[in-house]
Amino acid sequence: MCRKSGKDKVDRSEENLAVCGMIAKYMLLIFNFAFWLVGCALIGVGFWVYLQKEDFDDGDSAPAGAELFNMAFLAAIIIMAVGAIVFLIAIFGFIGSLREYKPYLYVYIIIVGGILVILIGAACVGLIFKDKLKAEITELFEDKGIPLYNYDITLTNLIDYVQQRFKCCGIGTSGYKIWNRNIYFNCSAVNPSLMKCGVPFSCCISSSSDKNSLANQLCGNGAQEQTATALEGSIYTADCWDAIIDKAKEHMLALGIVAVAFCVPPVLGVVLAIILICEINEKIRECNEEISGNRPSAAAPRRNGPKRNYIKPTSDE
């Protein structure tokens, strides 16, 4: 039953949505509760990563350590920021669907739709300016990644994983010789390191018998002094950027499925929110008609059948 609760306001607390609206409402509740848990988990993981990082020593490498300190915490900050955004979006969607509160649902639609548009736009820009993107990433890797290798275990493990997983060494036109930028692998005469003019062990091609044994940390010694042809069979010489792109092209179908699967949840959330808003508007319209007298109340349904005319008896009868 609908009733007036104030000027131009309708109290429909006792009214239920139609079946379609109820389905959309409870699907949104479940959907956003799951995303709320995901947001909490991301915040927790980001905070854990933040706590796991150790302080850098104030020795001779203090400038490099301080620079890496900022880079290392960037991942934790991004994870926590994404978790906070997901958490807030889920709150708007959950409360909006639970209370059938349209302003929260509108905010939910705008934020989720905006994020989708930004992600799709960023993907398109990346495809259009892929050469520029490669140049920027190469420059970043040359200036930050290579010089700071062996200073931080997280960054070192990441670079080693990429080089082993994609069977590559270095990045850009310099290829494996880009490791000359690192203080340990520098070819200068004043470099006292045992790894002088070499490359990391992750650039080495290991045989099947070496996979269960400890890695030879000096397997890449002197690699920068040799040509790529001479290193065939012992050192990976492919550019890591090209190796990653080639691997992506091999799994284009799987990547497309992952991209579609990633877009389905937010699109579904927007569609469900729109359906719920339409159902709420329809129920409000029906309540307004009932209050104004243009529509019979649900508590007193109209009887079926032809209308009967009764003659009121006169006083003479």
Side-chain angles (χ1 to χ4, degrees), residues 65-80:
E67 186 176 13
L68 180 59
F69 183 87
N70 295 330
M71 290 181 61
F73 276 87
L74 181 61
I77 292 172
I78 291 176
I79 293 173
M80 287 190 287

Side-chain angles (χ1 to χ4, degrees), residues 38-198:
V38 170
C40 292
L42 288 174
I43 294 174
V45 170
F47 190 67
W48 177 80
V49 172
Y50 179 87
L51 294 178
Q52 290 302 307
K53 299 303 298 176
E54 297 179 356
D55 295 333
F56 289 88
D57 296 329
D58 294 327
D60 296 336
S61 61
E67 186 176 13
L68 180 59
F69 183 87
N70 295 330
M71 290 181 61
F73 276 87
L74 181 61
I77 292 172
I78 291 176
I79 293 173
M80 287 190 287
V82 171
I85 293 172
V86 172
F87 179 86
L88 291 176
I89 293 174
I91 288 294
F92 277 106
F94 187 86
I95 296 178
S97 56
L98 178 66
R99 303 298 300 170
E100 299 175 18
Y101 190 51
K102 291 195 299 180
Y104 275 23
L105 292 174
Y106 284 129
V107 172
Y108 176 80
I109 292 172
I110 292 172
I111 294 177
V112 175
I115 292 176
L116 273 176
V117 171
I118 291 173
L119 290 177
I120 294 174
C124 294
V125 170
L127 290 174
I128 296 173
F129 300 99
K130 57 181 182 296
D131 294 334
K132 178 66 174 177
L133 179 63
K134 177 183 178 180
E136 293 293 333
I137 293 178
T138 301
E139 182 180 357
L140 178 65
F141 193 82
E142 291 177 350
D143 295 341
K144 308 293 183 182
I146 294 294
L148 298 174
Y149 183 86
N150 273 340
Y151 276 99
D152 179 73
I153 188 63
T154 303
L155 179 64
T156 301
N157 287 339
L158 176 61
I159 293 176
D160 286 337
Y161 172 80
V162 171
Q163 293 190 146
Q164 289 177 323
R165 177 67 179 82
F166 297 98
K167 299 180 180 180
C168 59
C169 187
I171 192 172
T173 55
S174 300
Y176 64 96
K177 293 187 178 182
I178 198 176
W179 284 104
N180 187 54
R181 290 175 173 264
N182 183 271
I183 188 174
Y184 295 99
F185 304 108
N186 188 271
C187 293
S188 62
V190 296
N191 183 10
S193 173
L194 294 175
M195 297 177 285
K196 175 183 177 180
C197 222

Side-chain angles (χ1 to χ4, degrees), residues 227-239:
T227 63
T229 304
L231 294 174
E232 288 184 3
S234 59
I235 299 293
Y236 297 123
T237 57
D239 173 14

Side-chain angles (χ1 to χ4, degrees), residues 13 20 32 76 101 144 196 225 299:
S13 57
C20 184
N32 285 288
Y101 190 51
K144 308 293 183 182
K196 175 183 177 180
E225 297 175 331

